[in-house]
Amino acid sequence: MAQVQDLEQAKETLREWIAESERIVFFGGAGVSTESHIPDFRSVDGLYNQSYDYPPETIISHTFFVHRPETFFKFYREKMLYPDAKPNDAHIALAKLEEMGKLTAVITQNIDGLHQAAGSKNVLELHGSVLRNYCTKCRKFYPVKAIANSTGVPHCDCGGVIKPDVVLYEESLDSDILSSSIRHIRQADMMIVAGTSLTVYPAAGLLDYFHGKHLVLINKSVTPRDSDADLAIQASVSILKDVI
């Protein structure tokens, strides 16, 4: 059962647990990126609540990418790329925690590359990254500007379509990244979960692999797993800067 504490007490508890822990894993969702002004799909003003000819989950599906690539890339450029976004306090705090030798891995559902930009080294991207793109025909690598600076459907020199290295709806997670994430979680003595509603599977199911001492959930709203946590904090992920 999660401890019920006011915010200052919760931060002090979190600070103490971090100090005594040696193998911490961080698992984060969209709420980590919203602090950098990248919209959360499921927030009140997020993409799921905006008006399009098709729902966002339909547009960023594998089927839509294959059969309506022009519309897919128009949406992708307008709503999925945020080249001016910068790491926020949470990203920076986590990079510091890794530098201290306490954080063994960042597991993220985000695709923006901001954890790496902040200095984190061991980042496991469950849903891929907009910074990587490849030709679906010859597998040649392309940087993000190949998509951002193109119009229509971007093509490789060989004629193949350039696809963002992100996991679309209907696609499976990378098995190697998933396995590595599970291994880190199983070995952790503390797990901090932040900025995620814990409603998207299989990612949300990763919590089931944690059997360490302290499970901490940080989210602005209640999650279905709050009762499983040792400490559940309803707050912005930016509180990490106050405890690290």
Side-chain angles (χ1 to χ4, degrees), residues 38-231:
I38 296 177
D40 175 358
F41 273 29
R42 292 170 178 78
S43 64
V44 173
D45 55 352
L47 295 182
Y48 280 111
N49 292 289
Q50 296 179 21
S51 177
Y52 293 97
D53 291 341
Y54 302 90
E57 67 268 31
T58 298
I59 299 175
I60 53 177
S61 68
H62 181 81
T63 297
F64 206 91
F65 169 78
V66 172
H67 295 289
R68 295 178 178 270
E70 295 87 357
T71 304
F72 171 89
F73 279 105
K74 182 177 186 297
F75 178 90
Y76 184 83
R77 291 186 189 95
E78 291 178 354
K79 300 300 181 182
M80 305 295 286
L81 298 180
Y82 293 86
D84 297 327
K86 304 295 182 188
N88 58 57
D89 289 336
H91 294 114
I92 294 168
L94 291 166
K96 178 182 176 183
L97 193 61
E98 183 184 54
E99 187 177 351
M100 292 164 60
K102 286 183 170 290
L103 185 70
T104 62
V106 168
I107 303 167
T108 181
Q109 295 174 282
N110 299 326
I111 58 175
D112 47 51
L114 292 180
H115 283 291
Q116 293 93 325
S120 289
K121 302 293 191 296
N122 191 23
V123 181
L124 299 169
E125 296 169 312
L126 293 173
H127 296 157
S129 172
V130 298
L131 303 183
R132 299 187 301 268
N133 305 273
Y134 63 92
C135 172
T136 54
K137 186 176 180 181
C138 73
R139 311 300 290 186
K140 180 180 178 181
F141 172 85
Y142 284 89
V144 65
K145 64 181 180 181
I147 304 289
N149 297 341
S150 64
T151 57
V153 181
H155 286 88
C156 175
D157 297 334
C158 77
V161 175
I162 301 172
K163 180 185 182 296
D165 188 14
V166 298
V167 179
L168 304 177
Y169 284 94
E170 304 169 346
E171 295 180 344
S172 300
L173 300 185
D174 184 291
S175 59
D176 290 339
I177 292 176
L178 192 56
S179 296
S180 183
S181 299
I182 291 171
R183 185 174 67 255
H184 279 286
I185 291 170
R186 280 177 167 161
Q187 295 172 348
D189 55 9
M190 180 176 184
M191 185 174 182
I192 302 173
V193 181
T196 173
S197 61
L198 293 175
T199 57
V200 178
Y201 283 80
L206 289 175
L207 272 68
D208 296 330
Y209 295 97
F210 178 71
H211 301 292
K213 189 174 181 181
H214 302 303
L215 175 61
V216 178
L217 302 188
I218 304 170
N219 199 53
K220 287 183 176 179
S221 58
V222 173
T223 80
R225 302 299 296 269
D226 280 14
S227 60
D228 298 326
D230 298 298
L231 180 64

